[in-house]
Amino acid sequence: MADRPERGRSERGRPERGRPERGGGGGPRRRGPRQRSAQRPAERARTADPARDVAFQTLTAVSEGAYANLELPRQLRRAGVSGRDAAFATELCYGTVRMQRLYDAVIGAAGNRPVDQIDPPVLDVLRLGCHQLLAMRVPDHAAVSATVALARQHVGAGAGGFVNAVLRRVSEADPDTWTERVTAPLTDEVDRLALRESHPGWIARALRAALVGNAAATPGTATQTLAALLHAHNTPGPLTLVARPGLGAEDELGDAGATPATLVPTAWTLPGGDPGGLAPVRDGRAAVQDAGSQLVALALAGAPLDGPDEQWLDLCAGPGGKAGLLAAVAAQRGAALRANEVTAHRAELVRNTLGAVLANGGRAEVTVEDGREVGAAEPDRYDRVLVDAPCTGLGALRRRPEARWRRTPQDLTALGPPQRDLLRSALAATRPGGVVVYATCSPHLAETHFVVNDVLKKRTDVTLEDVRPLLLDRAGEPLPGTGPGPWAQLWSHVHDTDSMFLALLRKH
């Protein structure tokens, strides 16, 4: 076969105008015959194209500890990459990070050596090549040639030869064959599923327990449901914006092509593009925010109260997404919000977030204090308190692709005491008759049920109330699928949100 681009594709494997690249970032799903090349890939490109170079630079930084969602935009700006090339780089980068475990197994099998014997930069290049071959519609010859060029440019000619050999071996089988080949030695069903969907085994088992613990699955259906959840983590979620109430962003979002999301009254879905280019986002009247986070803030704001409703507290406010929504709702009711954050640099992010509300006459302040000490300093003061506790983030894995490789079971041990201390502080800061919402972006039972139960079993002045009636969609109807109560658990594969947990506690 001649070295021609696939119909509807550019020479470098990107789709031509009007034929968008397949998104997803998911696992190996490509089907159909491969595109062979009579020309040796190693003989073609000598330098990487800008989009793949951006993906490689980002992957290298992530391997050294950077966050992909912060590093990728920086690399795109540095390289001057935008538009379709930026979309290609984003898919390549995020998809590669997500599917790293599966790709490492494939690379180890194709290279006949464990991946820990491969130099990290070479391994990063090979992972990028695997994603193009196994999960994107890039023709084989383009994927191999461009990836070999990447290796030559950043690592050396010798590495280019090794990368060429491994990727040509990878290209000899389709994704399903590779997946079956590398998972076959595993005898445990959850372990096989974890490798197939590229998650650490301990996370897969913890999420399975969370599904059963929240009655989202039975022991008999848990593995099948877990498969849907893990796959959802490998599928990019919608680009969701919040229109902060009372600031007049809705019409402009609609004019920009965003549509009202049905799940949350304040949520809008943007079909694509850079939300940072929208005027309401630039000036803080709107922001990118997962719908699950919006539901948490609105649940706190919607809880019924007896007595005054004037003082609201966001105890762990950084970086400020929920505080921004709470401040806007509080301003509509004449209430004041204190947004507290323990670190100064995150507190500055909160200040920026609250700027639009303050400019519109709202009352809000940002404080820098250890949230665990606020209750003792200001007992019985606040009417509504949010504890968005620091957690493992296991419910936000589709938005934070590297998190699954950085978290360990030891993190749960470290996070447990401050989560309990923050909830105790929040209850101390709440006046009798006031309410606290405890929330995490993790469904892990050690960060949700166990924390709330541990704190409550030592108190007789707090009641755990049913929070589910407060989770209302745009039509005002309660959200289905949040569990038997009284707390609620959102799921990425059910609600298309982060897997947020929230509980409502009332102090007497």
Side-chain angles (χ1 to χ4, degrees):
M1 178 184 293
D3 186 15
R4 293 181 304 178
E6 184 184 15
R7 182 179 180 185
R9 294 186 166 276
S10 71
E11 191 73 39
R12 292 185 301 175
R14 291 191 298 277
E16 293 175 349
R17 187 177 180 84
R19 295 177 63 86
E21 183 67 278
R22 171 186 168 176
R29 298 291 183 270
R30 191 172 71 170
R31 300 289 189 275
R34 292 195 171 280
Q35 301 78 41
R36 301 293 182 188
S37 171
Q39 187 179 3
R40 293 176 58 191
E43 295 173 346
R44 294 192 212 102
R46 297 295 175 182
T47 58
D49 61 275
R52 288 180 173 88
D53 185 74
V54 162
F56 173 77
Q57 299 284 3
T58 303
L59 214 61
T60 299
V62 169
S63 296
E64 295 171 350
Y67 293 98
N69 65 329
L70 300 179
E71 184 65 25
L72 181 60
R74 185 179 302 129
Q75 292 294 341
L76 289 170
R77 289 193 297 271
R78 173 194 61 79
V81 173
S82 61
R84 297 176 63 82
D85 282 351
F88 181 85
T90 300
E91 158 59 20
L92 182 53
C93 176
Y94 274 56
T96 299
V97 175
R98 289 189 182 103
M99 301 309 296
Q100 175 177 310
R101 186 183 176 203
L102 179 62
Y103 294 162
D104 283 1
V106 172
I107 291 166
N112 292 318
R113 69 177 69 173
V115 293
D116 60 7
Q117 296 180 7
I118 300 174
D119 288 342
V122 178
L123 183 56
D124 283 342
V125 170
L126 285 168
R127 288 167 175 165
L128 289 168
C130 274
H131 190 62
Q132 294 169 69
L133 288 169
L134 300 178
M136 299 176 74
R137 295 185 302 174
V138 180
D140 289 0
H141 61 81
V144 174
S145 175
T147 308
V148 168
L150 199 62
R152 283 175 165 164
Q153 180 177 344
H154 290 284
V155 189
F162 176 66
V163 168
N164 180 52
V166 173
L167 292 185
R168 286 173 68 85
R169 183 78 59 82
V170 172
S171 71
E172 291 171 356
D174 63 30
D176 289 341
T177 299
W178 273 116
T179 302
E180 178 60 30
R181 190 176 296 172
V182 299
T183 59
L186 301 176
T187 56
D188 181 83
E189 193 173 5
V190 174
D191 285 342
R192 270 202 309 273
L193 179 58
L195 178 55
R196 191 177 79 206
E197 295 294 347
S198 195
H199 284 65
W202 76 271
I203 289 181
R205 286 186 287 276
L207 293 176
R208 186 182 187 280
L211 287 164
V212 175
N214 285 285
T218 67
T221 64
T223 302
Q224 181 180 2
T225 308
L226 176 64
L229 176 59
L230 299 186
H231 188 66
H233 291 164
N234 294 332
T235 305
L239 179 47
T240 305
L241 307 178
V242 56
R244 292 172 177 145
L247 302 180
E250 290 81 357
D251 289 344
E252 291 169 82
L253 292 179
D255 292 342
T259 55
T262 58
L263 195 66
V264 192
T266 52
W268 290 68
T269 303
L270 193 65
D274 178 12
L278 303 180
V281 175
R282 287 199 304 271
D283 62 26
R285 290 176 291 132
V288 176
Q289 186 175 41
D290 181 76
S293 294
Q294 297 181 46
L295 284 167
V296 168
L298 295 178
L300 176 68
L305 281 184
D306 291 327
D309 187 12
E310 300 170 351
Q311 299 294 330
W312 297 13
L313 170 64
D314 185 349
L315 195 61
C316 320
K322 296 181 186 67
L325 179 51
L326 283 173
V329 177
Q332 290 183 309
R333 301 185 194 171
L337 174 73
R338 175 187 174 187
N340 183 72
E341 168 54 40
V342 68
T343 61
H345 74 280
R346 285 167 63 90
E348 191 59 32
L349 297 176
V350 180
R351 287 190 183 90
N352 292 335
T353 298
L354 298 184
V357 174
L358 293 172
N360 204 46
R363 292 189 294 146
E365 65 169 340
V366 179
T367 58
V368 182
E369 193 170 334
D370 189 331
R372 292 172 293 185
E373 300 171 357
V374 170
E378 298 183 285
D380 301 336
R381 174 177 178 181
Y382 294 96
D383 307 305
R384 302 178 189 270
V385 179
L386 173 63
V387 186
D388 182 20
C391 67
T392 57
L394 298 186
L397 294 182
R398 65 179 183 176
R399 286 193 299 110
R400 301 169 186 167
E402 70 283 341
R404 69 184 75 175
W405 313 122
R406 292 182 179 170
R407 287 301 187 186
T408 69
Q410 288 70 39
D411 292 328
L412 294 165
T413 303
L415 287 165
Q419 288 168 346
R420 287 163 175 77
D421 289 345
L422 285 165
L423 181 51
R424 293 188 189 101
S425 177
L427 290 168
T430 304
R431 68 162 174 85
V435 294
V436 173
V437 164
Y438 173 83
T440 63
C441 56
S442 166
H444 199 297
L445 296 176
E447 303 185 271
T448 57
H449 297 199
F450 299 167
V451 171
V452 175
N453 284 336
D454 280 356
V455 171
L456 286 186
K457 69 184 178 184
K458 297 180 180 177
R459 302 188 66 124
T460 59
D461 62 336
V462 179
T463 302
L464 182 62
E465 297 191 350
D466 194 345
V467 72
R468 296 172 302 162
L470 301 175
L471 300 178
L472 303 176
D473 64 18
R474 189 175 286 273
E477 298 296 325
L479 221 62
T482 57
W487 38 50
Q489 179 64 60
L490 305 177
W491 296 104
S492 296
H493 66 293
V494 174
H495 303 101
D496 208 15
T497 67
D498 289 349
S499 295
M500 300 291 302
F501 169 87
L502 65 164
L504 176 67
L505 301 91
R506 187 179 301 276
K507 186 174 176 182
H508 301 290

